[in-house]
Amino acid sequence: MLKYIAKRFGQIFILFYVFLALLFLLLDLQPGDISQQFVGNPNIPPEAKEIMVRQLGLDQPKIVQLGNHLWNYSFGMDMGVSWASYPREVSEILFTALPRTVFLFLTATILSFWLGFYTGKLVAWRRGTLIEKTTMITSIFFWTIFYPWFAILMLWFTSSVLGWFPVGKFISVETWIGAPYTAQSVFMLMLGSMALLSTLYGVARYAIDRSVDDAKTRRSYHRIALWSLVALVLVLWGINARRTYALDIIWHTIVPVLTLTLVNFAGTTLLTRSSMLETLREDYILTARAKGVPESTIRDRHAARNAMLPVTTSLVLQLAVVIAGGVITEQIFSWPGLGRALLGAITAEDIPVAMGALALIGILSLFAHLVADITYAFLDPRIRVQG
Amino acid sequence: MAQTLDIESRGGKAGTPLLEVQDLVMHYRTKEGDVSAVEDVTFTLHSGESIGLVGESGCGKTSVALTLLRLLPDNSLIKAGDVKLDGESLLELDEEQMRRRRWRDISMVFQGAMNSWNPVYRIGDQIREALRLHWPETLTYQEETDRIGALFELVGLNPVTMERYPHEFSGGMRQRAVIAMALSCNPKVIIADEPTTALDVIVQDQILRELKKIQQELGMSIIYISHDIAVIAEVTERMGVMYAGKLVELGSTVDVFHRPKHPYSYLLLKSTPSITGPRRKLAPLEGEPPNLLNPPSGCRFHPRCPFATDRCKVEEPNLVNVAEGHAVACWNWQEVPEIGGLQK
Amino acid sequence: MADILTPPTEEREVFDPKTVIEEPLWRIRIRLGWRAFRKNWALFSENKMGIVGLLIIALFGIMALAHPVLMATVWQEHQEGGKNVYDIRAGADSIIVTKTIVEEVTDTLTEISQIEAMFLGTGVNIPEIGDTIEAPLANPAPPVLSGVPHPHILGTDPFGGDVFSQLLFGARAAFLLGAIAALSSVALATLVGTIAAYFGGVIDTILMRLADLVILIPLLPLLIVVSGFWNVELTMLGILIGVLGGLGGTAIILKSQALSVKVKPFIDAARIAGGGHWRIITRHIIPNVLPLSFLYMMFAVTGAIFTEAALSFLGLLNIQQSWGIMINIAHTQGYTLEGLKVWWLMFPAGMSITLFSAGFFLVGRAMDEVVNPRLRKR
């Protein structure tokens, strides 16, 4: 399997550079000279134009420009300077926004996949019942509803009608006046603690699996480990001075994440159900029944485990949908992530930020694909064992 | 590494009735109507005996097997009859009780056993699953491994391979592994449905020999199902011929082969060329098997039967004993001539 | 036995099937096609969802066709300031109606507040409550069918345009875009998939790597940038979505379908009979891939509609009018949080996009059961 991962990583690496080259092409094909954009921009002094042209290397041959571009966007980490917020660097603007989008994307994907798979699995088992029909109709509804409209409805419903949640945005400015911490620092700390919790849990599980043989005790140890870690994190945050600020951020996060998750949850449910129905026709399901395996075990350990494979494959194709959904969510909820940065940049004709945002979103997408491919290889022994 | 394997048939004293199928009737309900898949099938399997069921595709042999294990799809209906294992009626059990008897009392080797294996788990682990479900005492992991290893050796597989995944096995190896899994819980009866179809002739021969050896050594009671008479001839002591859901002839394999009494069996045997026998014209069966949605009146074989009389079109013949241990369902069984030149 | 070994001496008659079969070949083909269609229709119609989907699509079809018809007939006479009131971009209902001055406005059509009346008045006399005054129709106006010169079935948008007319036109735009995007996407995907499957080797690798790249690039963000740089209108958008969509996942799926057709014996037979590459591809492989292609065309439409509506909603496109633009106008004019009070601004448009998508999605799912027999319910 390592061979497979290495090969895939290599392919993605190359595709990454092809993608960057395409971005360069896009930039180049754009009508008009980039430097002309400077002339009209009131924020930039006229002398800067000359310097810009030299700095941007616009007087050099195209190949050299391409090379510089590729280098800058990958290893150099230099995506230029923002035009609308001159002289802030693009990387500074975008790397502030990046963790937020990653958080939104990760949470929505993981939650929607997990819940969707679980629901789809259960629903496929109860073919022809009322539960199946209701779930199917609800899922189709949430999957086909026009997402921007749905997000607007969610925003309106949660803030105006229920009044339980804020009207979008990342933080409530009033709460943060005079705060000794920046929103970014608190947010990063929250992300860090979540990452730490997941890693520690993973390590604990591994250790437990190695030392304990019996499946039942293993599972109870898993649960003990999880809840004690969660309790620890909650206590540490509870006594922390930052807790009110963290809570404010969480309060703003709930509805956007919920909206994005809901739609993709529906999609995964539909997908899983179809996959399960196909898997249930396989011969090994009949064999499992003949062996006297109880129904729930057949559903979970035999059918679902195999149904997972096509679902994971389809998920790869669905990633683009999640990313698009994320961009729209950020726009409607004014959630300051990469998507909103991209849209803001396009509206303000701030090309460096727009290209940078597009590049970063592309990298996020590539990375997600790589993870999905590896997950699939892990799940399917036909790839895992012989590569 | 040779291990003493305590596999024994738990079927009781050799020769006693073990599995009794009485007047079994099973229909499939479809949109177009009821399909009469199994009609009045009656036979008895004795302990230590191997019995074969032969017939064309769609004649109901696999349906009978699935009925015995109660693995029928949702649209099936057992309309009449009974199946008794060791005197206990299997059809009257509830699902949970039946589940406990599956594999432990009756196990099955399915048609196309290549696909009987779940591709995401190791072969050894899938056999372990069967052991954990039915073995009376709790075995340690090592004990399980030892047992599976011994089973593998019995069917001619290297025990090391139990850690491999199904896609790493060849078709023949997978088939042997299925047999090993079928034996794993010391069942009373094994049903083997087309155990060698889709395998090449050499592997087919090997596996049949293994099965015969296992059956003889362990005194296992086996039901063989096949459309290939040659296979049935090689491994069974008794055999039944099925046509269109009905059992039309039942007797010892030697008797049925030498002196078939039902026109269908006769034509079936006549249509099989023999290398050692004298040259004779092959007599193919005209026509096609009937549509079981609307079976022919009277005897189901009458449209294709060269010996059919008016009575056959109206009255359905029952399976009656016409000689020692030899039963046939035909009004005109006396007319069926001898098959010339068949040596065994 | 001996006569088999001697070669025939006389000329044997060449058997020409055309002399035996009396019907012309094309008529046989049509009959077979019709029979296949009827069989597939029977399978398709078993699934109620598919029928619902078809009905929805038919409804929108009627809407799309209704617009030019209505414009030419019933709506022709409604002019205001030289422009047709129901015109989708230019129309604006600025009719003057009589309104009563009240304390609290409950019906914007017939009532007006004192302050607003003051703004309208000549300035000398302060309007009294209870007086009537000539005032323009306040936009966005709620649905009104009578009592005004120009009935608005679904009210007006913030600029005075008739919502119903915009909705009908949106159906036209949706079908147009859907057709362009879906056809180009699937045509490309079928071609790419079949060629990759048939020729294999280097061509296959290159095409699959290309498909990989296309899947990896997120479509919406890319289109956002593209529409920011260039002026993108409907046809161009359709082609863009088609190309960028068709080269990706669909191509891979259709390739595996083409592969499963390629290994069938009748392809070998065709090749032995002397078929050249292109003949085999067009006559044998593609027709067997087409059912699956057609299936994916349905999903391509849903994707295309979503993308266009989203981009329009974000205000990035240069299209005359579409449902997405309707929602965009409502959103940018600040009516998002008003919710139910101005329901006609977002609800019809949002619902139309949803239903249009759902219609094609349902048809696609029902077709899935026809094309893929394993999903059938016995």
Side-chain angles (χ1 to χ4, degrees):
Chain A
M1 165 149 122
L2 281 172
K3 233 185 346 172
Y4 179 79
I5 296 181
K7 191 173 77 159
R8 198 69 187 125
F9 189 78
Q11 282 174 353
I12 298 236
F13 194 71
I14 297 177
L15 284 173
F16 168 56
Y17 278 99
V18 175
F19 172 61
L20 286 181
L22 275 175
L23 286 186
F24 177 78
L25 200 69
L26 201 61
L27 206 55
D28 207 48
L29 285 175
Q30 194 223 135
D33 192 325
I34 292 189
S35 62
Q36 284 175 350
Q37 302 274 357
F38 290 116
V39 180
N41 194 324
N43 286 340
I44 303 175
E47 306 84 65
K49 178 183 174 186
E50 302 266 321
I51 307 173
M52 284 292 183
V53 170
R54 245 182 303 123
Q55 264 195 347
L56 288 173
L58 287 170
D59 43 353
Q60 292 179 316
K62 279 281 184 285
I63 289 291
V64 180
Q65 284 189 40
L66 174 64
N68 286 335
H69 172 97
L70 291 179
W71 174 259
N72 288 339
Y73 270 74
S74 49
F75 292 104
M77 292 278 104
D78 171 21
M79 292 184 264
V81 180
S82 164
W83 295 349
S85 333
Y86 188 89
R88 282 181 76 190
E89 286 217 357
V90 171
S91 36
E92 186 233 317
I93 301 176
L94 293 180
F95 280 120
T96 320
L98 180 67
R100 301 168 189 168
T101 301
V102 170
F103 170 72
L104 181 65
F105 177 74
L106 262 178
T107 322
T109 314
I110 293 178
L111 270 179
S112 67
F113 174 74
W114 187 50
L115 286 173
F117 189 76
Y118 191 74
T119 315
K121 176 181 78 170
L122 289 176
V123 158
W125 206 250
R126 299 172 184 285
R127 192 114 200 246
T129 58
L130 186 65
I131 295 183
E132 191 212 7
K133 291 202 180 86
T134 353
T135 314
M136 285 296 286
I137 295 181
T138 324
S139 298
I140 293 182
F141 173 72
F142 277 112
W143 182 239
T144 53
I145 196 173
F146 181 49
Y147 189 66
W149 183 47
F150 177 63
I152 290 179
L153 284 177
M154 284 291 277
L155 178 66
W156 165 70
F157 189 70
T158 56
S159 54
S160 283
V161 175
L162 289 179
W164 296 346
F165 293 98
V167 188
K169 295 218 166 43
F170 191 47
I171 54 174
S172 301
V173 186
E174 319 85 56
T175 322
W176 288 71
I177 294 179
Y181 317 103
T182 60
Q184 184 70 0
S185 68
V186 177
F187 186 66
M188 291 302 278
L189 204 62
M190 288 165 69
L191 285 188
S193 47
M194 285 203 319
L196 194 66
L197 185 126
S198 321
T199 326
L200 284 177
Y201 180 61
V203 168
R205 264 186 84 122
Y206 183 70
I208 294 173
D209 283 350
R210 293 278 278 203
S211 43
V212 178
D213 252 346
D214 177 38
K216 278 215 185 78
T217 42
R218 213 187 293 166
R219 263 182 290 220
S220 35
Y221 279 174
H222 286 167
R223 236 168 281 151
I224 295 176
L226 180 66
W227 290 117
S228 41
L229 279 173
V230 169
L232 181 69
V233 167
L234 286 175
V235 163
L236 283 178
W237 271 98
I239 55 177
N240 195 313
R242 294 180 179 75
R243 63 173 178 277
T244 33
Y245 304 113
L247 279 173
D248 183 52
I249 293 183
I250 293 179
W251 186 49
H252 282 88
T253 312
I254 294 181
V255 184
V257 169
L258 184 68
T259 314
L260 190 57
T261 305
L262 214 61
V263 168
N264 288 294
F265 156 73
T268 313
T269 305
L270 291 171
L271 208 56
T272 308
R273 176 184 163 271
S274 297
S275 182
M276 280 285 280
L277 288 178
E278 281 215 33
T279 309
L280 287 175
R281 307 246 163 173
E282 294 283 348
D283 290 339
Y284 52 81
I285 299 289
L286 184 62
T287 308
R289 277 226 178 85
K291 275 177 13 187
V293 179
E295 290 290 298
S296 59
T297 312
I298 295 184
R299 184 193 67 211
D300 296 331
R301 309 201 89 244
H302 288 268
R305 183 67 178 71
N306 277 277
M308 222 187 266
L309 299 175
V311 173
T312 312
T313 313
S314 302
L315 246 129
V316 169
L317 302 172
Q318 222 178 300
L319 281 171
V321 175
V322 183
I323 290 179
V327 171
I328 295 174
T329 312
E330 288 182 18
Q331 174 69 359
I332 293 180
F333 288 93
S334 307
W335 172 264
L338 283 180
R340 204 173 77 129
L342 175 68
L343 283 167
I346 286 289
T347 323
E349 293 191 3
D350 188 347
I351 295 186
V353 176
M355 295 304 287
L358 185 59
L360 280 180
I361 294 180
I363 295 176
L364 186 66
S365 166
L366 266 96
F367 200 71
H369 276 94
L370 184 63
V371 170
D373 283 338
I374 294 178
T375 310
Y376 184 85
F378 182 71
L379 289 174
D380 189 353
R382 287 168 285 202
I383 296 186
R384 187 175 5 138
V385 176
Q386 272 180 2
Chain B
M1 187 181 79
Q3 277 243 335
T4 38
L5 188 64
D6 63 338
I7 296 188
E8 62 201 35
S9 171
R10 296 179 340 216
K13 216 165 76 124
T16 53
L18 182 58
L19 184 72
E20 290 161 281
V21 178
Q22 292 156 350
D23 305 312
L24 192 61
V25 178
M26 195 276 286
H27 289 191
Y28 288 115
R29 278 177 304 195
T30 66
K31 267 189 312 171
E32 292 100 9
D34 267 14
V35 174
S36 155
V38 177
E39 201 73 37
D40 284 327
V41 168
T42 305
F43 67 89
T44 304
L45 174 70
H46 297 88
S47 184
E49 183 178 48
S50 64
I51 189 171
L53 272 183
V54 74
E56 297 169 73
S57 306
C59 72
K61 15 187 237 298
T62 307
S63 297
V64 170
L66 290 177
T67 312
L68 296 179
L69 274 167
R70 284 183 44 188
L71 285 178
L72 295 164
D74 289 329
N75 66 331
S76 63
L77 185 62
I78 300 176
K79 293 198 109 167
D82 202 7
V83 176
K84 287 212 183 85
L85 181 66
D86 259 345
E88 179 186 41
S89 165
L90 290 180
L91 297 183
E92 281 170 22
L93 299 173
D94 66 32
E95 181 58 31
E96 179 61 26
Q97 293 168 318
M98 186 67 210
R99 187 181 72 75
R100 268 181 267 139
R101 278 162 188 69
R102 285 197 192 113
W103 220 253
R104 178 93 176 95
D105 292 345
I106 316 183
S107 67
M108 188 156 167
V109 174
F110 286 93
Q111 211 167 350
M114 347 292 208
N115 302 319
S116 289
W117 295 105
N118 190 328
V120 295
Y121 295 118
R122 294 176 222 263
I123 297 250
D125 289 337
Q126 295 185 49
I127 304 182
R128 243 180 259 275
E129 182 179 37
L131 285 176
R132 288 196 189 156
L133 279 168
H134 300 293
W135 201 250
E137 312 103 47
T138 320
L139 295 175
T140 67
Y141 193 81
Q142 188 55 49
E143 285 170 343
E144 286 168 355
T145 312
D146 291 338
R147 183 171 174 83
I148 300 176
L151 282 165
F152 266 37
E153 279 180 352
L154 188 66
V155 295
L157 287 172
N158 186 343
V160 173
T161 56
M162 79 168 95
E163 291 304 313
R164 300 221 189 117
Y165 286 94
H167 68 275
E168 298 178 86
F169 275 46
S170 75
M173 288 166 76
R174 264 180 267 172
Q175 193 76 36
R176 293 173 201 253
V178 173
I179 297 173
M181 185 159 75
L183 288 168
S184 59
C185 299
N186 280 4
K188 297 178 183 173
V189 181
I190 298 184
I191 307 177
D193 190 353
E194 311 272 10
T196 54
T197 317
L199 292 174
D200 65 69
V201 207
I202 298 183
V203 180
Q204 203 177 73
D205 185 53
Q206 286 172 336
I207 291 197
L208 285 177
R209 276 187 220 266
E210 300 276 358
L211 276 172
K212 202 164 166 186
K213 183 183 88 176
I214 291 172
Q215 192 244 325
Q216 283 167 351
E217 279 180 19
L218 304 176
M220 199 59 83
S221 322
I222 305 189
I223 303 179
Y224 276 90
I225 300 179
S226 183
H227 63 269
D228 187 349
I229 317 183
V231 169
I232 299 287
E234 202 172 314
V235 283
T236 59
E237 296 152 12
R238 286 174 61 72
M239 68 182 270
V241 180
M242 283 194 72
Y243 181 78
K246 299 208 64 145
L247 195 59
V248 296
E249 186 158 358
L250 182 64
S252 75
T253 308
V254 174
D255 279 347
V256 176
F257 259 78
H258 276 200
R259 189 64 178 88
K261 295 198 190 315
H262 193 277
Y264 177 63
S265 331
Y266 172 74
L267 288 171
L268 212 57
L269 286 162
K270 267 209 104 172
S271 70
T272 314
S274 161
I275 289 183
T276 51
R279 294 174 73 141
R280 50 183 172 81
K281 212 153 173 235
L282 294 179
L285 275 166
E286 305 269 330
E288 279 175 20
N291 181 354
L292 293 176
L293 259 176
N294 204 1
S297 56
C299 172
R300 291 186 176 187
F301 189 57
H302 85 254
R304 300 165 82 183
C305 182
F307 304 98
T309 54
D310 286 325
R311 188 180 186 195
C312 303
K313 296 187 187 141
V314 181
E315 276 184 76
E316 200 166 3
N318 294 317
L319 198 67
V320 286
N321 265 313
V322 296
E324 178 69 38
H326 196 156
V328 67
C330 179
W331 299 123
N332 304 316
W333 65 271
Q334 314 259 23
E335 314 293 321
V336 179
E338 295 256 353
I339 289 199
L342 205 71
Q343 323 279 327
K344 177 74 167 83
Chain C
M1 272 293 262
D3 34 63
I4 300 178
L5 297 173
T6 22
T9 43
E10 340 86 45
E11 281 283 317
R12 277 190 296 164
E13 256 187 69
V14 176
F15 175 63
D16 184 7
K18 292 204 196 98
T19 57
V20 180
I21 304 175
E22 276 149 26
E23 272 184 278
L25 203 59
W26 60 266
R27 213 186 280 168
I28 297 180
R29 285 221 174 96
I30 292 183
R31 244 191 327 127
L32 286 173
W34 180 242
R35 209 187 302 168
F37 179 75
R38 273 222 311 267
K39 184 181 91 163
N40 287 329
W41 175 254
L43 277 167
F44 180 85
S45 45
E46 262 180 41
N47 192 330
K48 272 180 295 199
M49 289 202 301
I51 302 290
V52 170
L54 273 183
L55 284 174
I56 293 178
I57 297 177
L59 176 70
F60 281 107
I62 296 176
M63 281 171 67
L65 290 172
H67 188 265
V69 168
L70 282 174
M71 282 298 277
T73 57
V74 180
W75 289 341
Q76 194 51 40
E77 292 101 48
H78 296 260
Q79 304 282 341
E80 203 64 49
K83 295 207 196 91
N84 188 319
V85 168
Y86 297 101
D87 187 77
I88 36 126
R89 258 300 214 220
D93 196 341
S94 51
I95 190 72
I96 307 290
V97 292
T98 317
K99 294 192 184 180
T100 328
I101 305 177
V102 289
E103 187 84 39
E104 289 253 16
V105 176
T106 47
D107 181 4
T108 53
L109 281 178
T110 54
E111 299 169 351
I112 189 170
S113 68
Q114 209 176 15
I115 300 176
E116 279 202 60
M118 280 200 293
F119 276 109
L120 288 171
T122 44
V124 180
N125 302 320
I126 298 178
E128 297 285 324
I129 297 189
D131 283 354
T132 59
I133 188 171
E134 303 285 302
L137 192 70
N139 293 312
V144 50
L145 293 170
S146 59
V148 286
H150 313 294
H152 297 288
I153 304 179
L154 286 175
T156 62
D157 73 6
F159 298 117
D162 178 56
V163 170
F164 187 63
S165 169
Q166 291 175 348
L167 203 70
L168 293 185
F169 187 82
R172 215 180 83 171
F175 271 109
L176 210 63
L177 178 82
I180 297 177
L183 280 172
S184 51
S185 145
V186 171
L188 195 61
T190 311
L191 211 60
V192 166
T194 313
I195 291 179
Y198 187 79
F199 290 108
V202 182
I203 299 182
D204 182 14
T205 323
I206 296 179
L207 287 174
M208 286 301 111
R209 289 294 136 250
L210 187 64
D212 249 346
L213 179 68
V214 170
I215 295 181
L216 286 166
I217 300 179
L219 185 66
L220 192 68
L222 182 67
L223 284 177
I224 289 177
V225 173
V226 167
S227 50
F229 284 176
W230 287 274
N231 225 357
V232 179
E233 41 84 52
L234 200 67
T235 342
M236 180 55 47
L237 180 67
I239 296 180
L240 268 175
I241 297 180
V243 167
L244 290 174
L247 284 174
T250 322
I252 296 182
I253 294 175
L254 291 180
K255 173 201 155 185
S256 73
Q257 176 76 2
L259 264 180
S260 67
V261 174
K262 177 186 147 185
V263 296
K264 291 214 171 116
F266 75 87
I267 298 290
D268 287 331
R271 222 177 296 177
I272 293 172
H277 289 314
W278 283 109
R279 193 182 161 82
I280 294 183
I281 290 180
T282 47
R283 272 289 193 86
H284 297 286
I285 299 189
I286 288 190
N288 281 294
V289 176
L290 274 184
L292 204 61
S293 305
F294 199 65
L295 171 67
Y296 277 93
M297 225 190 288
M298 299 296 128
F299 297 127
V301 172
T302 59
I305 293 300
F306 168 77
T307 312
E308 181 273 318
L311 286 171
S312 293
F313 164 74
L314 295 169
L316 295 167
L317 292 177
N318 185 18
I319 301 184
Q320 252 194 322
Q321 181 66 283
S322 82
W323 293 323
I325 292 181
M326 291 168 73
I327 303 186
N328 167 268
I329 290 180
H331 187 61
T332 49
Q333 295 301 309
Y335 289 97
T336 312
L337 295 174
E338 304 270 332
L340 291 176
K341 264 198 290 180
V342 284
W343 61 270
W344 63 93
L345 288 182
M346 287 214 204
F347 190 80
M351 212 49 203
S352 297
I353 302 175
T354 306
L355 279 178
F356 193 81
S357 252
F360 279 94
F361 182 74
L362 289 176
V363 170
R365 281 186 68 88
M367 280 189 66
D368 212 358
E369 297 200 3
V370 173
V371 168
N372 184 357
R374 290 170 97 188
L375 285 178
R376 284 188 213 149
K377 218 179 144 175
R378 216 157 227 251

